[in-house]
Amino acid sequence: MRHEQDNRPLVTRLSGVWPQVLCAALGFGAGLVNGLLGAAGGILLVTVLPWLPAPSFFCTAGEGVYRPLSRYLDRKDIFATALAVMLPVSAVSFLRYWLGGIRPDPAELAMLLLPAALGGLAGAWLLERISPRMLRLLFAGLVAVSGVRMLF
Amino acid sequence: MRLPWFITVLATFFVAVLSGLGVGSAGLFVLYLTGICGLAQTEAQGLNLVFFLLSAGASLLFHARRRRIPGSLVLFLLLFAIPGALAGTRLLQTLDAATVRRLFGGMLILTGGSALWRELRAARRARQGKEGHGLNL
């Protein structure tokens, strides 16, 4: 029997439970990073989620057809999805930090309340109106350089 | 209170705008709290979680009205992300401050590197006349 070579991208060849397993692993990984480092679970989701094969409960392509999630959700949708996941996860992480004795000063928390909420709203509003590509590049460079400084 | 209020309010607003823009705030606020305000790493991480709850909560209110947030996918990811967060906070308790700081540095390099890679790739695709993650619905 002759087997023909399958030239489709790997992500579209995964079948059975694999899309669900990968999605579950990504969820667990994002939660783990968020709990351990208090940050970065969202960026992990935003980076990896578009590449994952769409799970069967989400896929509308039909039985046996697997497509990456980026075919169903655009960049802004993926970002909003990551926020929706990381919000309750961050609440759980913070609760655990609190129970573990890491308790921020209430006065300091109060100081963050208004600027964080207003800034978040302003950023979401701006996202619909500008293309923040240059800002993202600057941010990426700044974060990478800061990381190198923290290692040494 | 150890945080200088005026510069903290400005820094919080600025990083929250970046976060809402999808540029990412991962680590930036922690860097401000540890580098400029002198907070301990884990204390800064705790404060960063509250910052994220506030800024992301506000952004999500905005996005929820305009974007498609797939409920089934969010619930599925949450089902595994919450045990992950519990495991992460458990792991944090077993590590010393220097290790956490190094892990955080490694995370920043990965975050910055992956964001750079994504942007450069998107820019290359845009030049080729393609969308970054094209909608196909």
Side-chain angles (χ1 to χ4, degrees), chain A residues 27 31-32 36-38 47 70-71 75 77 79 97 108 120 127-128 136 139 143, chain B residues 1-2 19 21 23-24 45 48 58-59 67-68 81 84-85 89 108 118-119 134 136:
Chain A
L32 186 82
L36 180 62
L37 302 175
T47 306
S70 59
R71 294 287 296 270
R75 187 178 186 141
D77 294 335
F79 174 62
Y97 274 54
E108 289 172 352
L127 184 65
E128 302 290 332
R136 285 202 193 101
F139 166 80
V143 163
Chain B
M1 185 159 31
R2 300 147 299 173
S19 173
L21 270 172
V23 170
Q45 289 181 193
N48 186 56
S59 297
R67 309 234 70 85
R68 290 163 303 165
T89 49
L108 289 179
R118 265 202 325 271
E119 288 312 312
N136 196 31

PDB file of all heavy atoms in Angstrom, chain A residues 27 31-32 36-38 47 70-71 75 77 79 97 108 120 127-128 136 139 143, chain B residues 1-2 19 21 23-24 45 48 58-59 67-68 81 84-85 89 108 118-119 134 136:
ATOM      1  N   GLY A  27      -3.620  26.456  28.739  1.00  0.00           N
ATOM      2  CA  GLY A  27      -4.346  27.069  29.858  1.00  0.00           C
ATOM      3  C   GLY A  27      -3.603  26.857  31.166  1.00  0.00           C
ATOM      4  O   GLY A  27      -3.387  27.794  31.932  1.00  0.00           O
ATOM      5  N   GLY A  31      -1.731  29.768  33.493  1.00  0.00           N
ATOM      6  CA  GLY A  31      -2.063  29.919  34.910  1.00  0.00           C
ATOM      7  C   GLY A  31      -0.833  29.772  35.786  1.00  0.00           C
ATOM      8  O   GLY A  31      -0.625  30.538  36.726  1.00  0.00           O
ATOM      9  N   LEU A  32       0.007  28.791  35.460  1.00  0.00           N
ATOM     10  CA  LEU A  32       1.233  28.532  36.234  1.00  0.00           C
ATOM     11  C   LEU A  32       2.144  29.755  36.223  1.00  0.00           C
ATOM     12  O   LEU A  32       2.630  30.197  37.277  1.00  0.00           O
ATOM     13  CB  LEU A  32       1.962  27.319  35.652  1.00  0.00           C
ATOM     14  CG  LEU A  32       3.180  26.835  36.423  1.00  0.00           C
ATOM     15  CD1 LEU A  32       2.738  25.943  37.586  1.00  0.00           C
ATOM     16  CD2 LEU A  32       4.130  26.051  35.537  1.00  0.00           C
ATOM     17  N   LEU A  36       3.116  32.047  39.409  1.00  0.00           N
ATOM     18  CA  LEU A  36       4.521  32.083  39.821  1.00  0.00           C
ATOM     19  C   LEU A  36       5.122  33.476  39.715  1.00  0.00           C
ATOM     20  O   LEU A  36       5.845  33.921  40.608  1.00  0.00           O
ATOM     21  CB  LEU A  36       5.322  31.090  38.952  1.00  0.00           C
ATOM     22  CG  LEU A  36       6.815  30.977  39.211  1.00  0.00           C
ATOM     23  CD1 LEU A  36       7.079  30.494  40.643  1.00  0.00           C
ATOM     24  CD2 LEU A  36       7.462  30.019  38.221  1.00  0.00           C
ATOM     25  N   LEU A  37       4.825  34.178  38.611  1.00  0.00           N
ATOM     26  CA  LEU A  37       5.493  35.457  38.350  1.00  0.00           C
ATOM     27  C   LEU A  37       4.566  36.672  38.473  1.00  0.00           C
ATOM     28  O   LEU A  37       5.019  37.806  38.355  1.00  0.00           O
ATOM     29  CB  LEU A  37       6.135  35.438  36.959  1.00  0.00           C
ATOM     30  CG  LEU A  37       7.155  34.316  36.722  1.00  0.00           C
ATOM     31  CD1 LEU A  37       7.627  34.312  35.286  1.00  0.00           C
ATOM     32  CD2 LEU A  37       8.340  34.463  37.679  1.00  0.00           C
ATOM     33  N   GLY A  38       3.294  36.432  38.710  1.00  0.00           N
ATOM     34  CA  GLY A  38       2.352  37.548  38.890  1.00  0.00           C
ATOM     35  C   GLY A  38       2.125  38.318  37.593  1.00  0.00           C
ATOM     36  O   GLY A  38       1.600  39.426  37.607  1.00  0.00           O
ATOM     37  N   THR A  47       0.423  34.845  22.401  1.00  0.00           N
ATOM     38  CA  THR A  47       1.455  34.368  21.480  1.00  0.00           C
ATOM     39  C   THR A  47       1.117  32.982  20.916  1.00  0.00           C
ATOM     40  O   THR A  47       1.285  32.732  19.731  1.00  0.00           O
ATOM     41  CB  THR A  47       2.826  34.303  22.204  1.00  0.00           C
ATOM     42  OG1 THR A  47       3.079  35.579  22.764  1.00  0.00           O
ATOM     43  CG2 THR A  47       3.952  33.938  21.261  1.00  0.00           C
ATOM     44  N   SER A  70      -6.395  31.046  14.670  1.00  0.00           N
ATOM     45  CA  SER A  70      -6.275  32.343  13.990  1.00  0.00           C
ATOM     46  C   SER A  70      -7.200  32.439  12.783  1.00  0.00           C
ATOM     47  O   SER A  70      -7.445  33.533  12.274  1.00  0.00           O
ATOM     48  CB  SER A  70      -4.831  32.590  13.554  1.00  0.00           C
ATOM     49  OG  SER A  70      -4.414  31.568  12.683  1.00  0.00           O
ATOM     50  N   ARG A  71      -7.730  31.293  12.339  1.00  0.00           N
ATOM     51  CA  ARG A  71      -8.687  31.338  11.229  1.00  0.00           C
ATOM     52  C   ARG A  71     -10.064  31.798  11.707  1.00  0.00           C
ATOM     53  O   ARG A  71     -10.911  32.175  10.907  1.00  0.00           O
ATOM     54  CB  ARG A  71      -8.824  29.955  10.577  1.00  0.00           C
ATOM     55  CG  ARG A  71      -7.574  29.468   9.883  1.00  0.00           C
ATOM     56  CD  ARG A  71      -7.325  30.213   8.574  1.00  0.00           C
ATOM     57  NE  ARG A  71      -8.354  30.002   7.574  1.00  0.00           N
ATOM     58  CZ  ARG A  71      -8.339  29.039   6.663  1.00  0.00           C
ATOM     59  NH1 ARG A  71      -7.359  28.181   6.642  1.00  0.00           N
ATOM     60  NH2 ARG A  71      -9.314  28.943   5.784  1.00  0.00           N
ATOM     61  N   ARG A  75      -6.576  39.153  15.664  1.00  0.00           N
ATOM     62  CA  ARG A  75      -5.632  39.496  16.726  1.00  0.00           C
ATOM     63  C   ARG A  75      -6.307  40.165  17.936  1.00  0.00           C
ATOM     64  O   ARG A  75      -6.013  39.858  19.085  1.00  0.00           O
ATOM     65  CB  ARG A  75      -4.579  40.423  16.124  1.00  0.00           C
ATOM     66  CG  ARG A  75      -3.457  40.716  17.040  1.00  0.00           C
ATOM     67  CD  ARG A  75      -2.458  41.602  16.339  1.00  0.00           C
ATOM     68  NE  ARG A  75      -1.307  41.741  17.203  1.00  0.00           N
ATOM     69  CZ  ARG A  75      -0.066  41.757  16.781  1.00  0.00           C
ATOM     70  NH1 ARG A  75       0.206  41.663  15.529  1.00  0.00           N
ATOM     71  NH2 ARG A  75       0.925  41.883  17.641  1.00  0.00           N
ATOM     72  N   ASP A  77      -9.469  39.911  18.812  1.00  0.00           N
ATOM     73  CA  ASP A  77     -10.334  38.924  19.488  1.00  0.00           C
ATOM     74  C   ASP A  77      -9.505  38.029  20.405  1.00  0.00           C
ATOM     75  O   ASP A  77      -9.929  37.683  21.513  1.00  0.00           O
ATOM     76  CB  ASP A  77     -11.060  38.040  18.460  1.00  0.00           C
ATOM     77  CG  ASP A  77     -12.047  38.830  17.616  1.00  0.00           C
ATOM     78  OD1 ASP A  77     -12.517  39.869  18.093  1.00  0.00           O
ATOM     79  OD2 ASP A  77     -12.328  38.407  16.494  1.00  0.00           O
ATOM     80  N   PHE A  79      -6.691  38.826  21.800  1.00  0.00           N
ATOM     81  CA  PHE A  79      -6.283  39.656  22.929  1.00  0.00           C
ATOM     82  C   PHE A  79      -7.415  39.749  23.959  1.00  0.00           C
ATOM     83  O   PHE A  79      -7.191  39.583  25.160  1.00  0.00           O
ATOM     84  CB  PHE A  79      -5.887  41.047  22.414  1.00  0.00           C
ATOM     85  CG  PHE A  79      -5.585  42.031  23.496  1.00  0.00           C
ATOM     86  CD1 PHE A  79      -4.535  41.825  24.383  1.00  0.00           C
ATOM     87  CD2 PHE A  79      -6.355  43.168  23.655  1.00  0.00           C
ATOM     88  CE1 PHE A  79      -4.266  42.724  25.393  1.00  0.00           C
ATOM     89  CE2 PHE A  79      -6.097  44.075  24.652  1.00  0.00           C
ATOM     90  CZ  PHE A  79      -5.047  43.859  25.525  1.00  0.00           C
ATOM     91  N   TYR A  97      -1.717  34.828  46.943  1.00  0.00           N
ATOM     92  CA  TYR A  97      -0.636  35.684  47.443  1.00  0.00           C
ATOM     93  C   TYR A  97      -1.047  36.243  48.813  1.00  0.00           C
ATOM     94  O   TYR A  97      -0.278  36.254  49.753  1.00  0.00           O
ATOM     95  CB  TYR A  97      -0.381  36.854  46.483  1.00  0.00           C
ATOM     96  CG  TYR A  97       0.574  36.567  45.342  1.00  0.00           C
ATOM     97  CD1 TYR A  97       0.373  35.495  44.477  1.00  0.00           C
ATOM     98  CD2 TYR A  97       1.668  37.389  45.100  1.00  0.00           C
ATOM     99  CE1 TYR A  97       1.235  35.250  43.410  1.00  0.00           C
ATOM    100  CE2 TYR A  97       2.538  37.150  44.039  1.00  0.00           C
ATOM    101  CZ  TYR A  97       2.306  36.080  43.203  1.00  0.00           C
ATOM    102  OH  TYR A  97       3.166  35.848  42.154  1.00  0.00           O
ATOM    103  N   GLU A 108      -1.634  51.956  49.086  1.00  0.00           N
ATOM    104  CA  GLU A 108      -0.985  51.825  47.776  1.00  0.00           C
ATOM    105  C   GLU A 108      -1.964  51.263  46.746  1.00  0.00           C
ATOM    106  O   GLU A 108      -1.966  51.669  45.590  1.00  0.00           O
ATOM    107  CB  GLU A 108       0.252  50.923  47.895  1.00  0.00           C
ATOM    108  CG  GLU A 108       1.374  51.601  48.651  1.00  0.00           C
ATOM    109  CD  GLU A 108       2.545  50.673  48.946  1.00  0.00           C
ATOM    110  OE1 GLU A 108       2.442  49.459  48.702  1.00  0.00           O
ATOM    111  OE2 GLU A 108       3.555  51.178  49.429  1.00  0.00           O
ATOM    112  N   GLY A 120      -6.649  51.582  31.434  1.00  0.00           N
ATOM    113  CA  GLY A 120      -7.130  50.383  30.729  1.00  0.00           C
ATOM    114  C   GLY A 120      -8.220  50.737  29.728  1.00  0.00           C
ATOM    115  O   GLY A 120      -8.213  50.272  28.581  1.00  0.00           O
ATOM    116  N   LEU A 127      -7.091  51.391  20.981  1.00  0.00           N
ATOM    117  CA  LEU A 127      -6.810  50.199  20.159  1.00  0.00           C
ATOM    118  C   LEU A 127      -7.693  50.147  18.915  1.00  0.00           C
ATOM    119  O   LEU A 127      -7.287  49.665  17.864  1.00  0.00           O
ATOM    120  CB  LEU A 127      -7.022  48.930  21.002  1.00  0.00           C
ATOM    121  CG  LEU A 127      -6.676  47.604  20.333  1.00  0.00           C
ATOM    122  CD1 LEU A 127      -5.187  47.524  20.045  1.00  0.00           C
ATOM    123  CD2 LEU A 127      -7.086  46.423  21.210  1.00  0.00           C
ATOM    124  N   GLU A 128      -8.934  50.679  19.047  1.00  0.00           N
ATOM    125  CA  GLU A 128      -9.860  50.683  17.907  1.00  0.00           C
ATOM    126  C   GLU A 128      -9.503  51.775  16.904  1.00  0.00           C
ATOM    127  O   GLU A 128     -10.026  51.797  15.796  1.00  0.00           O
ATOM    128  CB  GLU A 128     -11.299  50.912  18.401  1.00  0.00           C
ATOM    129  CG  GLU A 128     -11.786  49.881  19.403  1.00  0.00           C
ATOM    130  CD  GLU A 128     -11.997  48.521  18.757  1.00  0.00           C
ATOM    131  OE1 GLU A 128     -12.281  48.473  17.559  1.00  0.00           O
ATOM    132  OE2 GLU A 128     -11.836  47.506  19.475  1.00  0.00           O
ATOM    133  N   ARG A 136       4.486  48.655  20.132  1.00  0.00           N
ATOM    134  CA  ARG A 136       4.739  47.254  20.492  1.00  0.00           C
ATOM    135  C   ARG A 136       6.211  46.910  20.304  1.00  0.00           C
ATOM    136  O   ARG A 136       6.802  46.213  21.124  1.00  0.00           O
ATOM    137  CB  ARG A 136       3.901  46.320  19.629  1.00  0.00           C
ATOM    138  CG  ARG A 136       2.456  46.290  20.015  1.00  0.00           C
ATOM    139  CD  ARG A 136       1.805  45.005  19.514  1.00  0.00           C
ATOM    140  NE  ARG A 136       0.366  45.105  19.605  1.00  0.00           N
ATOM    141  CZ  ARG A 136      -0.437  45.362  18.595  1.00  0.00           C
ATOM    142  NH1 ARG A 136       0.056  45.539  17.389  1.00  0.00           N
ATOM    143  NH2 ARG A 136      -1.732  45.458  18.768  1.00  0.00           N
ATOM    144  N   PHE A 139       8.135  48.511  23.124  1.00  0.00           N
ATOM    145  CA  PHE A 139       7.861  47.787  24.359  1.00  0.00           C
ATOM    146  C   PHE A 139       8.641  46.473  24.393  1.00  0.00           C
ATOM    147  O   PHE A 139       9.277  46.130  25.386  1.00  0.00           O
ATOM    148  CB  PHE A 139       6.363  47.503  24.466  1.00  0.00           C
ATOM    149  CG  PHE A 139       6.005  46.490  25.517  1.00  0.00           C
ATOM    150  CD1 PHE A 139       5.937  46.848  26.848  1.00  0.00           C
ATOM    151  CD2 PHE A 139       5.744  45.169  25.172  1.00  0.00           C
ATOM    152  CE1 PHE A 139       5.623  45.907  27.806  1.00  0.00           C
ATOM    153  CE2 PHE A 139       5.430  44.231  26.119  1.00  0.00           C
ATOM    154  CZ  PHE A 139       5.369  44.598  27.450  1.00  0.00           C
ATOM    155  N   VAL A 143      11.402  45.545  27.187  1.00  0.00           N
ATOM    156  CA  VAL A 143      11.187  44.399  28.072  1.00  0.00           C
ATOM    157  C   VAL A 143      12.340  43.398  27.954  1.00  0.00           C
ATOM    158  O   VAL A 143      12.856  42.907  28.964  1.00  0.00           O
ATOM    159  CB  VAL A 143       9.831  43.722  27.748  1.00  0.00           C
ATOM    160  CG1 VAL A 143       9.750  42.336  28.328  1.00  0.00           C
ATOM    161  CG2 VAL A 143       8.695  44.564  28.300  1.00  0.00           C
TER     162      VAL A 143
ATOM    163  N   MET B   1       3.560  54.581  53.568  1.00  0.00           N
ATOM    164  CA  MET B   1       3.465  54.299  52.136  1.00  0.00           C
ATOM    165  C   MET B   1       4.824  54.552  51.487  1.00  0.00           C
ATOM    166  O   MET B   1       5.431  55.588  51.704  1.00  0.00           O
ATOM    167  CB  MET B   1       2.378  55.184  51.521  1.00  0.00           C
ATOM    168  CG  MET B   1       2.150  54.853  50.081  1.00  0.00           C
ATOM    169  SD  MET B   1       0.551  55.374  49.404  1.00  0.00           S
ATOM    170  CE  MET B   1       0.130  56.842  50.290  1.00  0.00           C
ATOM    171  N   ARG B   2       5.273  53.559  50.668  1.00  0.00           N
ATOM    172  CA  ARG B   2       6.614  53.688  50.086  1.00  0.00           C
ATOM    173  C   ARG B   2       6.608  54.225  48.671  1.00  0.00           C
ATOM    174  O   ARG B   2       7.635  54.565  48.121  1.00  0.00           O
ATOM    175  CB  ARG B   2       7.305  52.324  50.105  1.00  0.00           C
ATOM    176  CG  ARG B   2       7.463  51.739  51.488  1.00  0.00           C
ATOM    177  CD  ARG B   2       7.356  50.244  51.444  1.00  0.00           C
ATOM    178  NE  ARG B   2       6.037  49.815  50.944  1.00  0.00           N
ATOM    179  CZ  ARG B   2       5.719  48.568  50.682  1.00  0.00           C
ATOM    180  NH1 ARG B   2       6.602  47.626  50.814  1.00  0.00           N
ATOM    181  NH2 ARG B   2       4.511  48.246  50.252  1.00  0.00           N
ATOM    182  N   SER B  19      -1.257  48.406  28.314  1.00  0.00           N
ATOM    183  CA  SER B  19      -1.921  47.124  28.517  1.00  0.00           C
ATOM    184  C   SER B  19      -3.225  47.067  27.712  1.00  0.00           C
ATOM    185  O   SER B  19      -3.514  46.084  27.038  1.00  0.00           O
ATOM    186  CB  SER B  19      -2.178  46.938  30.013  1.00  0.00           C
ATOM    187  OG  SER B  19      -2.956  45.805  30.239  1.00  0.00           O
ATOM    188  N   LEU B  21      -3.928  48.700  25.104  1.00  0.00           N
ATOM    189  CA  LEU B  21      -3.606  48.725  23.676  1.00  0.00           C
ATOM    190  C   LEU B  21      -3.164  47.373  23.163  1.00  0.00           C
ATOM    191  O   LEU B  21      -2.960  47.201  21.966  1.00  0.00           O
ATOM    192  CB  LEU B  21      -2.463  49.717  23.429  1.00  0.00           C
ATOM    193  CG  LEU B  21      -2.840  51.163  23.139  1.00  0.00           C
ATOM    194  CD1 LEU B  21      -1.601  52.035  23.126  1.00  0.00           C
ATOM    195  CD2 LEU B  21      -3.561  51.272  21.812  1.00  0.00           C
ATOM    196  N   VAL B  23      -0.349  46.192  23.861  1.00  0.00           N
ATOM    197  CA  VAL B  23       1.107  46.242  23.762  1.00  0.00           C
ATOM    198  C   VAL B  23       1.693  45.311  24.821  1.00  0.00           C
ATOM    199  O   VAL B  23       2.722  44.697  24.623  1.00  0.00           O
ATOM    200  CB  VAL B  23       1.597  47.696  23.959  1.00  0.00           C
ATOM    201  CG1 VAL B  23       3.096  47.755  24.107  1.00  0.00           C
ATOM    202  CG2 VAL B  23       1.159  48.551  22.791  1.00  0.00           C
ATOM    203  N   GLY B  24       0.991  45.236  25.946  1.00  0.00           N
ATOM    204  CA  GLY B  24       1.438  44.354  27.024  1.00  0.00           C
ATOM    205  C   GLY B  24       1.964  45.151  28.191  1.00  0.00           C
ATOM    206  O   GLY B  24       2.624  46.173  28.015  1.00  0.00           O
ATOM    207  N   GLN B  45       5.014  41.685  42.551  1.00  0.00           N
ATOM    208  CA  GLN B  45       4.169  40.784  41.754  1.00  0.00           C
ATOM    209  C   GLN B  45       2.727  40.803  42.265  1.00  0.00           C
ATOM    210  O   GLN B  45       1.783  40.799  41.479  1.00  0.00           O
ATOM    211  CB  GLN B  45       4.730  39.357  41.806  1.00  0.00           C
ATOM    212  CG  GLN B  45       6.023  39.211  41.032  1.00  0.00           C
ATOM    213  CD  GLN B  45       6.604  37.796  41.049  1.00  0.00           C
ATOM    214  OE1 GLN B  45       7.743  37.610  40.672  1.00  0.00           O
ATOM    215  NE2 GLN B  45       5.830  36.812  41.504  1.00  0.00           N
ATOM    216  N   ASN B  48       1.180  43.943  41.159  1.00  0.00           N
ATOM    217  CA  ASN B  48       0.959  43.881  39.709  1.00  0.00           C
ATOM    218  C   ASN B  48      -0.324  43.108  39.374  1.00  0.00           C
ATOM    219  O   ASN B  48      -1.032  43.445  38.429  1.00  0.00           O
ATOM    220  CB  ASN B  48       2.156  43.214  39.019  1.00  0.00           C
ATOM    221  CG  ASN B  48       2.030  43.261  37.504  1.00  0.00           C
ATOM    222  OD1 ASN B  48       1.880  44.330  36.927  1.00  0.00           O
ATOM    223  ND2 ASN B  48       2.045  42.099  36.868  1.00  0.00           N
ATOM    224  N   ALA B  58     -11.159  46.921  33.210  1.00  0.00           N
ATOM    225  CA  ALA B  58     -11.706  48.083  32.497  1.00  0.00           C
ATOM    226  C   ALA B  58     -11.634  47.864  30.984  1.00  0.00           C
ATOM    227  O   ALA B  58     -12.594  48.153  30.264  1.00  0.00           O
ATOM    228  CB  ALA B  58     -10.935  49.342  32.900  1.00  0.00           C
ATOM    229  N   SER B  59     -10.486  47.334  30.502  1.00  0.00           N
ATOM    230  CA  SER B  59     -10.340  47.088  29.053  1.00  0.00           C
ATOM    231  C   SER B  59     -11.371  46.073  28.573  1.00  0.00           C
ATOM    232  O   SER B  59     -11.951  46.213  27.501  1.00  0.00           O
ATOM    233  CB  SER B  59      -8.953  46.532  28.727  1.00  0.00           C
ATOM    234  OG  SER B  59      -7.970  47.443  29.054  1.00  0.00           O
ATOM    235  N   ARG B  67     -16.005  43.064  20.695  1.00  0.00           N
ATOM    236  CA  ARG B  67     -15.268  41.925  20.163  1.00  0.00           C
ATOM    237  C   ARG B  67     -16.021  40.626  20.419  1.00  0.00           C
ATOM    238  O   ARG B  67     -16.888  40.570  21.293  1.00  0.00           O
ATOM    239  CB  ARG B  67     -13.896  41.828  20.803  1.00  0.00           C
ATOM    240  CG  ARG B  67     -13.114  43.107  20.769  1.00  0.00           C
ATOM    241  CD  ARG B  67     -11.776  42.923  20.144  1.00  0.00           C
ATOM    242  NE  ARG B  67     -11.892  42.677  18.724  1.00  0.00           N
ATOM    243  CZ  ARG B  67     -11.985  43.650  17.804  1.00  0.00           C
ATOM    244  NH1 ARG B  67     -11.980  44.891  18.168  1.00  0.00           N
ATOM    245  NH2 ARG B  67     -12.076  43.349  16.533  1.00  0.00           N
ATOM    246  N   ARG B  68     -15.599  39.620  19.681  1.00  0.00           N
ATOM    247  CA  ARG B  68     -16.161  38.297  19.936  1.00  0.00           C
ATOM    248  C   ARG B  68     -15.292  37.614  20.969  1.00  0.00           C
ATOM    249  O   ARG B  68     -14.113  37.360  20.722  1.00  0.00           O
ATOM    250  CB  ARG B  68     -16.177  37.489  18.656  1.00  0.00           C
ATOM    251  CG  ARG B  68     -17.195  38.003  17.670  1.00  0.00           C
ATOM    252  CD  ARG B  68     -16.909  37.477  16.321  1.00  0.00           C
ATOM    253  NE  ARG B  68     -15.548  37.832  15.920  1.00  0.00           N
ATOM    254  CZ  ARG B  68     -14.913  37.276  14.914  1.00  0.00           C
ATOM    255  NH1 ARG B  68     -15.488  36.332  14.239  1.00  0.00           N
ATOM    256  NH2 ARG B  68     -13.711  37.669  14.588  1.00  0.00           N
ATOM    257  N   ALA B  81      -6.451  26.735  33.603  1.00  0.00           N
ATOM    258  CA  ALA B  81      -5.599  27.855  34.022  1.00  0.00           C
ATOM    259  C   ALA B  81      -5.682  28.080  35.530  1.00  0.00           C
ATOM    260  O   ALA B  81      -4.675  28.432  36.155  1.00  0.00           O
ATOM    261  CB  ALA B  81      -6.002  29.123  33.273  1.00  0.00           C
ATOM    262  N   GLY B  84      -3.560  25.722  37.279  1.00  0.00           N
ATOM    263  CA  GLY B  84      -2.196  26.167  36.958  1.00  0.00           C
ATOM    264  C   GLY B  84      -1.757  27.302  37.870  1.00  0.00           C
ATOM    265  O   GLY B  84      -0.631  27.310  38.375  1.00  0.00           O
ATOM    266  N   ALA B  85      -2.665  28.259  38.095  1.00  0.00           N
ATOM    267  CA  ALA B  85      -2.346  29.399  38.971  1.00  0.00           C
ATOM    268  C   ALA B  85      -2.112  28.920  40.399  1.00  0.00           C
ATOM    269  O   ALA B  85      -1.197  29.403  41.083  1.00  0.00           O
ATOM    270  CB  ALA B  85      -3.484  30.412  38.926  1.00  0.00           C
ATOM    271  N   THR B  89       1.439  29.494  42.357  1.00  0.00           N
ATOM    272  CA  THR B  89       1.603  30.187  43.643  1.00  0.00           C
ATOM    273  C   THR B  89       2.212  29.240  44.681  1.00  0.00           C
ATOM    274  O   THR B  89       2.978  29.662  45.547  1.00  0.00           O
ATOM    275  CB  THR B  89       0.258  30.736  44.158  1.00  0.00           C
ATOM    276  OG1 THR B  89      -0.717  29.687  44.092  1.00  0.00           O
ATOM    277  CG2 THR B  89      -0.225  31.902  43.332  1.00  0.00           C
ATOM    278  N   LEU B 108      10.873  37.954  30.986  1.00  0.00           N
ATOM    279  CA  LEU B 108      10.892  39.219  30.243  1.00  0.00           C
ATOM    280  C   LEU B 108      11.604  39.054  28.895  1.00  0.00           C
ATOM    281  O   LEU B 108      11.160  39.586  27.880  1.00  0.00           O
ATOM    282  CB  LEU B 108      11.595  40.312  31.059  1.00  0.00           C
ATOM    283  CG  LEU B 108      10.854  40.831  32.284  1.00  0.00           C
ATOM    284  CD1 LEU B 108      11.684  41.892  32.994  1.00  0.00           C
ATOM    285  CD2 LEU B 108       9.505  41.421  31.912  1.00  0.00           C
ATOM    286  N   ARG B 118       6.806  38.501  16.738  1.00  0.00           N
ATOM    287  CA  ARG B 118       5.434  38.646  16.218  1.00  0.00           C
ATOM    288  C   ARG B 118       5.287  39.906  15.368  1.00  0.00           C
ATOM    289  O   ARG B 118       4.711  39.893  14.295  1.00  0.00           O
ATOM    290  CB  ARG B 118       4.441  38.734  17.373  1.00  0.00           C
ATOM    291  CG  ARG B 118       3.807  37.440  17.758  1.00  0.00           C
ATOM    292  CD  ARG B 118       2.500  37.635  18.504  1.00  0.00           C
ATOM    293  NE  ARG B 118       2.426  38.785  19.378  1.00  0.00           N
ATOM    294  CZ  ARG B 118       2.781  38.784  20.651  1.00  0.00           C
ATOM    295  NH1 ARG B 118       3.240  37.701  21.209  1.00  0.00           N
ATOM    296  NH2 ARG B 118       2.666  39.863  21.389  1.00  0.00           N
ATOM    297  N   GLU B 119       5.849  41.014  15.912  1.00  0.00           N
ATOM    298  CA  GLU B 119       5.704  42.289  15.212  1.00  0.00           C
ATOM    299  C   GLU B 119       6.449  42.298  13.886  1.00  0.00           C
ATOM    300  O   GLU B 119       5.952  42.784  12.879  1.00  0.00           O
ATOM    301  CB  GLU B 119       6.211  43.438  16.102  1.00  0.00           C
ATOM    302  CG  GLU B 119       5.312  43.743  17.268  1.00  0.00           C
ATOM    303  CD  GLU B 119       3.857  43.855  16.865  1.00  0.00           C
ATOM    304  OE1 GLU B 119       3.544  44.543  15.878  1.00  0.00           O
ATOM    305  OE2 GLU B 119       3.004  43.233  17.522  1.00  0.00           O
ATOM    306  N   GLY B 134      -5.800  36.657   9.708  1.00  0.00           N
ATOM    307  CA  GLY B 134      -6.982  37.017   8.939  1.00  0.00           C
ATOM    308  C   GLY B 134      -8.256  36.390   9.454  1.00  0.00           C
ATOM    309  O   GLY B 134      -8.257  35.232   9.839  1.00  0.00           O
ATOM    310  N   ASN B 136     -11.754  34.686   9.054  1.00  0.00           N
ATOM    311  CA  ASN B 136     -12.273  33.807   7.999  1.00  0.00           C
ATOM    312  C   ASN B 136     -13.669  33.326   8.334  1.00  0.00           C
ATOM    313  O   ASN B 136     -14.003  32.181   8.114  1.00  0.00           O
ATOM    314  CB  ASN B 136     -11.305  32.637   7.812  1.00  0.00           C
ATOM    315  CG  ASN B 136     -11.547  31.923   6.510  1.00  0.00           C
ATOM    316  OD1 ASN B 136     -11.964  32.550   5.554  1.00  0.00           O
ATOM    317  ND2 ASN B 136     -11.295  30.628   6.479  1.00  0.00           N
TER     318      ASN B 136
END
